[in-house]
Amino acid sequence: MTVLNFVKIMLAFATAALIVGTGTVAGLFWHFSHGLPDHSQLANYQPATVSRLYAADGRLLAEYAREKRVFVPVAAMPKRVVEAFVAAEDQRFFTHPGIDFIGIVRAIVVNVTNPGKRPEGASGLTQQVAKNFLLTNQATLARKIREAILAFRIEETYSKERILELYLNEIYLGAGNYGVAQAAINYFDRSLDELTLSEIAYLAALPKAPNRYHVVRNEKEAYARRDYVLNRMQEDGYITAAEAQAARAEKLQLRRRSATETTQAEFFAEEVRRNLLAAYGEKGLYESGLTVSTTLDPAYQAAADKALRDGLIAYDRRHGWRGPYAKIPDMSLWEEEFARIAQRRPLFGPATWHLAVVTKVEAQSVQVAGLPDGEGSIPFAEMTWARPTLAEQRVGNPPRNPRDVVGVGDIIVVEKVEKGANNKPYPPNSYALRQVPNVEGGVVIMDTQTGRVLAMSGGWAYGRSQFNRAVQAARQPGSAFKPFVFLAAMDAGFTPASIVLDGPFSYDPGYGQPIWTPKNYGGDFLGPATVRRGLELSRNLMTVRMAQQVGMKHVVEVAKEFGVTDNMGAYLPMAIGAGETTLLRMTMAYAMLANGALEITPSLVDRVQDRNGKTIYRHEPRVCKGCGEAAGGGTPTAPELIDSRKPFHDPASVYQVVSMMQGVTVRGTAGRLAALGRPIAGKTGTTNDARDNWFLGSTPDITIGVYIGFDEPRNLGAQETGGGNAAPIFEQIAKEIFKGKAPTPFRIPPGLRLVRFTYEGGTIDEVFKPGTEPGSDGYMVTPLDGSAPFSGIDPSGGPQQAGGTRRPGLSGTGETY
């Protein structure tokens, strides 16, 4: 065979091989191109970022995310950050078409010549974007081929800058950090533009193996990889030799992220989370980077939390000592057992409360251990409240000595104290016996005019129970419902001065049901009394008489109008709060009484913005005139809030009820609140068998609702009432949040007539609609001698007015407002 023929044969074979190879490659590309993900979705890619909740004062309240990430556009990233990642991960990124063929050949040669070492990869940045966004991490040849095809397509569609932006914001850099900006914050507590060259190189070293190159766990490998990145940057001309040398000499210092200004309101934050989840879904909440400005006032929240806890503790103490938190039977190994119990049953409550184990019981004190300070003692004076709990919320005899309360091995709850009840100092490391209450409660503080929820406490401690008694507990409001019955009565022609009998009452519901015979709390009767006095003293019998007269259908309509409940039966027992509602609903209803029947919607969120800062929700129902206007040459005017809402109920009737409710907090069941020295329209609530205690009170600016009861409803105790349990919590909150603020009177609707007359040893300005005041043409003042049977309704068909000998001074002067 001649040389020429051999050459021809080789050329033929080469041509055939080229054709076959080209066909094979084309076939592979054709085969693997089908069913590939659509890379055009990257154009609208928005990385999952953190949604944040902020209190009204700007402090961080909560964060929600599946991946910790801060998105930063590539144009805003320092040039050196980009250069470091390109040098470390894809040297020829700016020149190759999606695949670095030179890098692939080099990797093949290295892997063949070093068979014992870890195989070296050759996936460039574009291929990593294809894998991270569009494919899986499955290590197969098919995936690599698909990755290469997608890389070509991505390069044809997007700029190098867009590809870098996708990569640098998506890459996982260890310790739960996604994206270079989040990693810079969590590793070094710095923004990208504050990083040193050494820190930049370290971050660029991480994509290869984040856990392997952790600077604390694998210091030697971490520094070696960082130095490799610095060398690559120097070789590629991004940095000088001197800069590289200085960066290599720098020791990496991981820094804990600086404490963010935060506030805590776990029940509030969880309710916001639930609302956001319902509005925007899981993806919207956990991936969309929402910025949520909540209505929370941290000072109000702190006041609510403390007052509720103090109130629950006060109730719990009155009902005695239920025994130790836990018990250690064998004190020879008490440290291990104490630690195990503390871990298994963590203590939730004030930060000043601690678990301790009793090591010795003496005549007038108890020695305890396991405290943060080591050991301590409890004087008997700090244990005398611990009378044993008996059935039906009763208590036994006071303890005579510490042995009546605790024994060695008991695990108890204690709090450090410095002085006793007589203000006499205790020795160092003195503690008082405490007990975690088993009763629960809730508090809502609301802006009366707008419905903004300024604070919400849903129980003793969120860690103990996530059940939010402010919004999730449906309970009977008891007497707290009565203002809405009295409002229906005002609509029907009653006045605060109308006389209604407070006497025995029976009602036959028919259909074979038993006769219903309600009673007043205490079982007494006032006889004929004014409607005002009936509300002030929370008289059940007067309330059901009025409800029967005006009709329960109208009472139900009023309750629905004010949002107390959506589906209440028109049954007479409902007039004294036998239906169920929530504390949030009741607080809203009282706020609408106090604001003159202007509709509000309770809201925990003022504004929601998307990741780009665009407002997608705003709660404020009023229009701001002059807000956002550019300064002009004319006389500047202050912005003005325009409230276009109209009362949904007769403001005159509403104000009559509000006026009577102010009497509740001066002369009535919440008379202790008179000491606050400001107009408060409120009402106590105590249900049958004292299962639930309520107090709700409003000023023109703030409405506060308080509820106390057991999660599994049962009797709170024979003497436990809304006035004795819930009202003190209101009082404690009010003292704190109204401190230094001048009282604000309630606005009187135009046209009402005020008549001053003597009442309960003083004088009041009673409120009448035009034509209903005593002595007017509407009603005659009829002296009451009580001689005839009294139904509570004037023989003429209308409510009878108080007057004559029973209430002297009714004909006093009056003013029209």
Side-chain angles (χ1 to χ4, degrees):
M1 182 182 295
T2 64
V3 173
L4 182 60
N5 287 336
F6 178 77
V7 171
K8 288 180 179 180
I9 292 172
M10 289 298 100
L11 285 173
F13 272 111
T15 302
L18 181 63
I19 293 171
V20 171
T22 303
T24 301
V25 171
L28 287 172
F29 267 71
W30 180 85
H31 173 74
F32 287 105
S33 293
H34 288 281
L36 281 179
D38 183 8
H39 64 284
S40 64
Q41 63 184 277
L42 298 179
N44 299 317
Y45 167 72
Q46 291 183 321
T49 52
V50 181
S51 290
R52 292 186 172 89
L53 273 56
Y54 294 94
D57 65 355
R59 282 191 272 173
L60 181 66
L61 177 60
E63 292 182 324
Y64 301 107
R66 289 199 175 95
E67 299 174 353
K68 293 186 291 184
R69 177 186 285 107
V70 176
F71 179 80
V72 178
V74 70
M77 292 185 185
K79 187 178 179 182
R80 276 205 170 156
V81 171
V82 175
E83 293 169 346
F85 278 86
V86 169
E89 293 292 312
D90 195 348
Q91 180 184 9
R92 284 166 286 276
F93 170 74
F94 289 107
T95 57
H96 67 59
I99 297 177
D100 183 5
F101 292 104
I102 297 174
I104 292 174
V105 172
R106 183 185 58 80
I108 292 172
V109 171
V110 170
N111 290 336
V112 169
T113 56
N114 297 278
K117 292 187 176 181
R118 183 181 177 184
E120 187 169 318
S123 292
L125 297 183
T126 312
Q127 289 172 272
Q128 292 184 52
V129 167
K131 179 188 72 173
N132 293 339
F133 286 87
L134 304 173
L135 299 172
T136 67
N137 287 323
Q138 190 177 17
T140 62
L141 178 62
R143 197 267 292 165
K144 293 296 290 184
I145 295 173
R146 289 173 179 270
E147 181 184 291
I149 297 170
L150 283 170
F152 281 126
R153 293 181 177 178
I154 290 170
E155 289 274 353
E156 289 175 351
T157 308
Y158 304 107
S159 67
K160 293 286 186 179
E161 288 72 22
R162 175 59 174 169
I163 295 169
L164 275 170
E165 184 173 85
L166 294 171
Y167 174 80
L168 291 171
N169 280 290
E170 182 71 17
I171 190 69
Y172 180 66
L173 296 173
N177 296 297
Y178 291 84
V180 64
Q182 184 73 38
I185 293 170
N186 284 338
Y187 282 122
F188 302 115
D189 192 26
R190 289 179 173 174
S191 59
L192 291 176
D193 56 0
E194 295 174 325
L195 294 172
T196 66
L197 177 58
S198 174
E199 291 166 345
I200 290 172
Y202 174 71
L203 294 181
L206 291 174
K208 189 70 68 177
N211 292 327
R212 179 182 174 188
Y213 297 126
H214 193 281
V215 73
V216 175
R217 293 192 294 267
N218 301 297
E219 182 179 357
K220 186 176 179 180
E221 290 188 345
Y223 278 104
R225 181 67 183 172
R226 179 207 62 178
D227 293 348
Y228 165 79
V229 176
L230 290 169
N231 292 337
R232 291 289 315 116
M233 293 180 74
Q234 181 184 342
E235 291 172 11
D236 291 345
Y238 294 132
I239 59 175
T240 65
E243 288 175 319
Q245 184 177 355
R248 280 192 293 269
E250 181 182 313
K251 185 171 178 62
L252 292 168
Q253 300 262 343
L254 294 189
R255 302 177 190 87
R256 185 182 297 275
R257 187 174 179 180
S258 299
T260 307
E261 280 287 326
T262 61
T263 189
Q264 194 172 36
E266 293 166 308
F267 286 107
F268 185 101
E270 173 59 16
E271 185 62 17
V272 173
R273 188 195 69 83
R274 290 174 65 239
N275 291 343
L276 293 172
L277 199 61
Y280 303 109
E282 285 198 19
K283 186 177 177 65
L285 175 60
Y286 292 104
E287 299 181 17
S288 296
L290 302 176
T291 298
V292 183
S293 301
T294 73
T295 58
L296 181 77
D297 185 313
Y300 284 23
Q301 183 65 51
D305 288 342
K306 186 176 188 310
L308 178 61
R309 280 186 173 173
D310 289 349
L312 297 179
I313 291 169
Y315 168 86
D316 193 64
R317 278 197 167 203
R318 288 198 299 274
H319 294 274
W321 170 247
R322 295 186 301 278
Y325 191 82
K327 193 169 182 64
I328 298 175
D330 183 5
M331 285 296 287
S332 63
L333 300 172
W334 75 264
E335 291 95 339
E336 293 85 346
E337 183 65 10
F338 179 74
R340 186 182 67 81
I341 291 173
Q343 184 177 22
R344 190 183 65 193
R345 292 182 57 194
L347 176 65
F348 296 105
T352 54
W353 286 22
H354 303 286
L355 291 178
V357 60
V358 176
T359 58
K360 187 178 182 180
V361 180
E362 299 175 335
Q364 289 298 313
S365 66
V366 169
Q367 302 303 310
V368 292
L371 294 160
D373 294 338
E375 297 181 345
S377 66
I378 306 175
F380 180 56
E382 297 296 337
M383 305 173 68
T384 54
W385 64 268
R387 295 159 48 155
T389 295
L390 303 178
E392 298 179 358
Q393 301 298 340
R394 294 177 295 110
V395 293
N397 295 323
R400 295 163 297 178
N401 56 63
R403 287 184 178 83
D404 288 344
V405 182
V406 297
V408 173
D410 286 353
I411 295 179
I412 56 177
V413 181
V414 299
E415 182 178 27
K416 201 167 192 176
V417 289
E418 295 179 352
K419 297 179 181 180
N422 58 3
N423 216 28
K424 184 179 178 181
Y426 281 135
N429 290 340
S430 292
Y431 288 81
L433 180 66
R434 298 290 185 251
Q435 178 172 254
V436 177
N438 61 356
V439 71
E440 281 288 1
V443 172
V444 173
I445 305 179
M446 183 180 292
D447 185 310
T448 301
Q449 301 299 324
T450 65
R452 297 174 69 243
V453 178
L454 306 176
M456 175 186 288
S457 185
W460 168 258
Y462 185 80
R464 181 171 81 165
S465 167
Q466 287 77 52
F467 183 66
N468 190 336
R469 287 99 191 150
V471 295
Q472 294 174 300
R475 298 289 186 266
Q476 293 182 351
S479 298
F481 179 75
K482 289 175 181 174
F484 304 99
V485 178
F486 281 63
L487 178 56
M490 297 302 105
D491 292 340
F494 283 78
T495 78
S498 297
I499 298 295
V500 176
L501 178 64
D502 182 41
F505 180 91
S506 294
Y507 172 70
D508 184 359
Y511 304 101
Q513 298 181 68
I515 301 295
W516 181 55
T517 307
K519 290 180 170 50
N520 289 323
Y521 178 81
D524 63 335
F525 309 108
L526 291 180
T530 62
V531 169
R532 172 180 287 277
R533 195 62 179 155
L535 186 60
E536 289 176 352
L537 298 182
S538 196
R539 309 306 287 181
N540 291 339
L541 299 175
M542 294 177 70
T543 305
V544 295
R545 271 195 169 84
M546 285 192 295
Q548 186 182 48
Q549 172 64 22
V550 304
M552 278 303 297
K553 184 177 179 182
H554 185 45
V555 173
V556 170
E557 289 172 353
V558 170
K560 188 172 182 180
E561 250 189 328
F562 281 82
V564 175
T565 180
D566 295 327
N567 300 295
M568 189 176 93
Y571 312 115
L572 205 53
M574 296 294 179
I576 51 176
E580 289 187 342
T581 185
T582 67
L583 179 60
L584 182 64
R585 275 180 169 255
M586 286 295 289
T587 308
M588 172 191 70
Y590 271 59
M592 289 191 288
L593 284 175
N595 71 19
L598 298 177
E599 185 176 2
I600 60 174
T601 301
S603 177
L604 287 79
V605 173
D606 277 335
R607 183 173 63 172
V608 179
Q609 295 169 284
D610 64 16
R611 69 175 70 223
N612 300 314
K614 179 184 176 183
T615 297
I616 56 178
Y617 168 82
R618 186 187 297 274
H619 170 254
E620 175 58 69
R622 299 168 294 182
V623 176
C624 183
K625 182 181 179 182
C627 292
E629 293 183 2
T635 303
T637 57
E640 179 185 3
L641 282 174
I642 307 298
D643 194 342
S644 59
R645 294 174 296 173
K646 302 296 181 185
F648 60 83
H649 201 96
D650 178 16
S653 293
V654 170
Y655 183 76
Q656 286 181 308
V657 173
V658 168
S659 174
M660 290 187 282
M661 290 168 69
Q662 291 179 68
V664 173
T665 63
V666 176
R667 297 170 296 273
T669 52
R672 62 181 296 148
L673 302 182
L676 294 173
R678 64 180 62 241
I680 297 172
K683 184 68 187 73
T684 54
T686 306
T687 61
N688 280 344
D689 299 325
R691 288 171 177 258
D692 304 290
N693 285 174
W694 300 71
F695 182 78
L696 298 107
S698 298
T699 71
D701 305 313
I702 299 295
T703 298
I704 304 172
V706 180
Y707 158 79
I708 286 182
F710 291 101
D711 283 346
E712 295 183 3
R714 55 190 170 95
N715 191 290
L716 286 164
Q719 303 301 317
E720 302 295 351
T721 65
N725 271 324
I729 295 174
F730 176 98
E731 182 180 17
Q732 184 174 332
I733 296 170
K735 282 181 179 178
E736 185 64 29
I737 69 175
F738 293 138
K739 192 183 300 180
K741 298 178 182 177
T744 304
F746 287 92
R747 179 182 172 274
I748 303 174
L752 283 178
R753 181 103 173 139
L754 300 188
V755 178
R756 178 164 295 173
F757 64 96
T758 57
Y759 177 82
E760 297 300 320
T763 61
I764 63 169
D765 291 331
E766 194 55 275
V767 188
F768 297 92
K769 297 175 185 176
T772 68
E773 65 270 24
S776 70
D777 293 337
Y779 292 105
M780 295 295 292
V781 178
T782 307
L784 301 175
D785 58 12
S787 58
F790 186 70
S791 65
I793 306 301
D794 186 78
S796 65
Q800 193 175 41
Q801 301 288 5
T805 58
R806 190 168 293 272
R807 291 289 183 268
L810 253 177
S811 59
T813 60
E815 293 183 65
T816 301
Y817 285 79

